Amino acid sequence: MVTCCLAQKNRVKNEDQAMAYLNKYGYLDMKGGMPNSQEMKTALEYFQRFANITMTGCLDSETMAMMNTPRCGMVDMDSPADMMRKKRYALGSRWSKTELTYRIINRTPDLPANEVDRIITESIEKWADASGLTFTLVKSGNADILISFAPGSHGDDNPFDGPGGVLAHAYYPSSNAIGGDAHFDEDERYTDASFSGTNLEWVAVHEFGHSLGLGHSQIEGAVMYPYYTGYVPNFQLNSDDIAGIQAHYGENVGEPENTPSTPVDKCMTSITLATRTLDGSTYLGNATHLYRRTDGSIPDGYPKVIGNEFLGLPTALDAALYYPRNGKTYFFKGSQYWRFRNQRMDNGYPRPMSNWRGVPKDISSAFIWSRNGKIYFTKGDEYYRYTPGYGVTSHYPQPLSQWDGLPSHGVDAAFQWTNARTYFFKGSEYYRFNDITESVDDGYPINTATAWL
C-alpha cells in the first residue's frame, strides 16, 4: 500500500541521515548494502534535480536545507529511471469511476467543526472543478474517501510521531478498505487563513491529490510538489495539477457559462484583454479596468483599474499572454511589453517588442495553442506563430480565416483557459475553440458578460 506523509521535522544533519533520507524517498536503493561514493553522488544529483536546486552531487548547505524543508513523505521516485521523465505530474492508480463519496469521520478541535467541514469540502472540490470527478459528502456508513484526525497509532500501520513530525498521510485508490483514505495528525495545530500553525487547506488539497491517484510533481508551483508551502492566500491548483487530474479523469465539462450570471448592465459589454496568472486567476478587461475571476466567481472589489491590480501597467493595453513554462504573464502595448509574476512586475520592464523577433507592434491578441504548445499572435485579420528562441515561423502571417468558425476580420482578445480550450473575444461575444477538432464548438458565440462576469 502506498502512503503519503507530510513531514516537517529537521532530521538530516549528517551524511548518514542524508543517506537514509535519499533511501526513504526513492533516490537510493540500499537493499544491497551501503552505497559507494559514486552511487551517493548520483542519488544526490537526482534529489537536487527533483528539488530544482543546484546539481552539485554533494551534500552542500543548499541540499541540506532542502532535505530539512517540510515535505510529503511519499516517495518521489519509484526508480532512478523516473528522473528521465518530463518535469511534470506523476500518475499512480486511479478510481474506476468518476462519482466518488467522502465522509468526515471526526474533526480537529483546533478549528470550529463547521470550518473544518468547509475547508475539507472546498479542498476536495478544487479537484472536482478541474476534472470530470464529482464528490458527494455522506454523513454515515462507508465512503470512497474516509477522512479522520488522530494522533500516534491510529490503526493503519503508519503511526504519527507527535507534533512537528508527520502532518498527514493518504492512500492511492485501490480495492482495499483503506484505499483513498486521508489521515491527519491530531498532534498538529491546524489553522485557517493564517501563516502560523499548519494550514489545513494546503495539507488537505495535497493529500486528496494522492487519494485520487496523483504522485509528486517536480513543478515548484504545483500543490503536488513534495514540499509543504504552508498558507497561500487565494490558493489555487497549478496548471500542472490540473493537467495531472485531467489525465486521470478528463476535464470538467461544466463551462464558465454555466455559472450564475451577472446582469449585463453591471458588467463590461466587451473584452479587449484576457489572460491568466500563475496563482490560478483569470483576468478579463477593457481599456481601463479588469475583472479577476477565481474559483468560478468574481471576488469583491472588482472591476479595478488595470494599474491598481498590476502596478506599473498603463491603460489601453493591446494584449496579454500567460506562459505556463515560466509562470509569467506578459502584457503588450504598442512597441513595448511588460512581464509579471502574478501581480508583481519583474525588474527591467518595459522592454521593446523587437525582442519578440518577427512579431509586429500593436498586436490584437496573444495565446498559447494547446495543440502544439506554440505561441500565437493576431493582428487584424492575420495571425503569427511564434517559437521562443527562434521567432515567428517562416511563411507567417497567415489569414485568420483559417481558424474555422472565428470572425475572419479579427478578434479583440484571446487566451487558453484551464480546460485546454482557446477562447476568442470579439465585441460583446466570445468563441470557444476546440483545439482537438480545430474548430469553434457548436452553440458559439455566446454573450461574454453573462457567461464570464
Side-chain angles (χ1 to χ4, degrees):
M1 177 63 64
V2 179
T3 181
C4 164
C5 303
L6 286 167
Q8 197 173 32
K9 277 184 179 174
N10 291 346
R11 296 181 175 179
V12 179
K13 299 179 180 179
N14 54 48
E15 186 169 334
D16 287 343
Q17 292 170 334
M19 195 180 302
Y21 181 102
L22 295 169
N23 180 65
K24 177 178 180 180
Y25 294 111
Y27 300 97
L28 193 62
D29 185 359
M30 296 178 59
K31 293 177 182 178
M34 297 292 287
N36 57 39
S37 58
Q38 182 56 50
E39 290 171 335
M40 185 66 176
K41 180 178 185 295
T42 300
L44 284 167
E45 289 175 343
Y46 285 154
F47 169 76
Q48 291 160 346
R49 178 179 176 185
F50 201 103
N52 297 303
I53 60 177
T54 307
M55 288 180 62
T56 63
C58 300
L59 187 61
D60 50 32
S61 58
E62 184 183 20
T63 302
M64 191 86 73
M66 200 68 189
M67 287 181 172
N68 289 320
T69 297
R71 60 152 295 150
C72 174
M74 185 176 181
V75 296
D76 297 330
M77 303 191 301
D78 290 326
S79 70
D82 287 352
M83 286 309 299
M84 300 307 294
R85 68 179 175 87
K86 190 176 180 180
K87 295 178 66 176
R88 60 200 289 262
Y89 62 85
L91 299 177
S93 58
R94 66 182 297 275
W95 294 100
S96 60
K97 55 187 178 181
T98 57
E99 297 179 359
L100 301 174
T101 57
Y102 68 102
R103 178 186 169 197
I104 305 172
I105 303 297
N106 62 359
R107 296 153 182 85
T108 175
D110 299 338
L111 295 165
N114 64 326
E115 286 297 291
V116 175
D117 289 1
R118 175 187 61 78
I119 294 168
I120 293 296
T121 297
E122 289 179 356
S123 297
I124 206 165
E125 285 296 329
K126 285 184 185 296
W127 295 110
D129 291 342
S131 70
L133 292 169
T134 60
F135 297 95
T136 301
L137 174 64
V138 297
K139 301 294 185 180
S140 61
N142 198 14
D144 298 307
I145 300 173
L146 298 176
I147 302 158
S148 60
F149 294 79
S153 297
H154 52 282
D156 65 353
D157 296 326
N158 288 292
F160 293 127
D161 56 359
V166 171
L167 302 182
H169 57 231
Y171 295 88
Y172 277 166
S174 77
S175 58
N176 295 337
I178 204 169
D181 293 354
H183 303 159
F184 298 80
D185 186 358
E186 189 47 71
D187 280 331
E188 310 303 333
R189 182 173 69 87
Y190 292 102
T191 57
D192 176 42
S194 172
F195 290 101
S196 65
T198 300
N199 180 255
L200 180 57
E201 180 188 34
W202 193 97
V203 178
V205 176
H206 180 98
E207 295 304 333
F208 294 148
H210 290 303
S211 296
L212 299 173
L214 292 186
H216 283 153
S217 169
Q218 295 172 256
I219 304 300
E220 290 187 57
V223 72
M224 298 314 296
Y225 187 60
Y227 301 94
Y228 173 68
T229 62
Y231 171 52
V232 178
N234 301 314
F235 174 55
Q236 302 291 327
L237 295 181
N238 180 273
S239 57
D240 186 68
D241 301 313
I242 294 170
I245 199 67
Q246 289 184 353
H248 253 344
Y249 303 103
E251 67 181 63
N252 188 335
V253 295
E255 294 298 330
E257 60 268 20
N258 294 331
T259 59
S261 62
T262 305
V264 176
D265 60 1
K266 294 183 180 179
C267 291
M268 298 175 184
T269 57
S270 62
I271 296 298
T272 58
L273 185 75
T275 193
R276 293 160 53 204
T277 47
L278 179 63
D279 60 13
S281 300
T282 295
Y283 285 95
L284 301 171
N286 59 16
T288 58
H289 290 72
L290 50 76
Y291 280 93
R292 181 184 184 186
R293 182 185 174 94
T294 62
D295 287 331
S297 63
I298 306 294
D300 293 338
Y302 290 86
K304 290 184 179 180
V305 174
I306 291 172
N308 290 345
E309 183 76 0
F310 295 95
L311 189 63
L313 277 185
T315 55
L317 294 163
D318 295 331
L321 170 72
Y322 174 61
Y323 192 53
R325 292 187 182 180
N326 62 8
K328 305 290 187 177
T329 302
Y330 297 81
F331 296 90
F332 304 88
K333 181 177 181 178
S335 60
Q336 294 181 311
Y337 73 99
W338 293 254
R339 191 180 75 186
F340 279 71
R341 180 180 176 87
N342 292 321
Q343 292 76 39
R344 183 175 181 177
M345 187 192 298
D346 288 344
N347 294 330
Y349 288 85
R351 294 181 180 178
M353 277 294 294
S354 57
N355 289 351
W356 297 75
R357 193 174 70 187
V359 177
K361 61 181 182 179
D362 301 317
I363 60 173
S364 303
S365 71
F367 60 94
I368 291 178
W369 193 36
S370 66
R371 182 88 179 196
N372 58 14
K374 302 288 188 182
I375 299 173
Y376 287 78
F377 296 90
T378 72
K379 182 175 181 177
D381 60 359
E382 296 179 318
Y383 75 98
Y384 300 74
R385 189 176 75 182
Y386 181 89
T387 302
Y390 295 92
V392 170
T393 306
S394 60
H395 308 302
Y396 284 83
Q398 298 276 348
L400 191 61
S401 58
Q402 293 179 1
W403 293 69
D404 186 29
L406 291 183
S408 60
H409 52 287
V411 296
D412 300 328
F415 78 132
Q416 184 189 118
W417 203 49
T418 57
N419 60 359
R421 296 291 193 271
T422 305
Y423 290 77
F424 294 88
F425 300 83
K426 182 65 176 180
S428 62
E429 298 177 318
Y430 76 98
Y431 300 74
R432 189 182 71 189
F433 194 87
N434 188 318
D435 294 356
I436 303 300
T437 64
E438 300 186 29
S439 62
V440 170
D441 284 336
D442 292 340
Y444 290 83
I446 292 176
N447 182 273
T448 300
T450 55
W452 285 91
L453 305 178

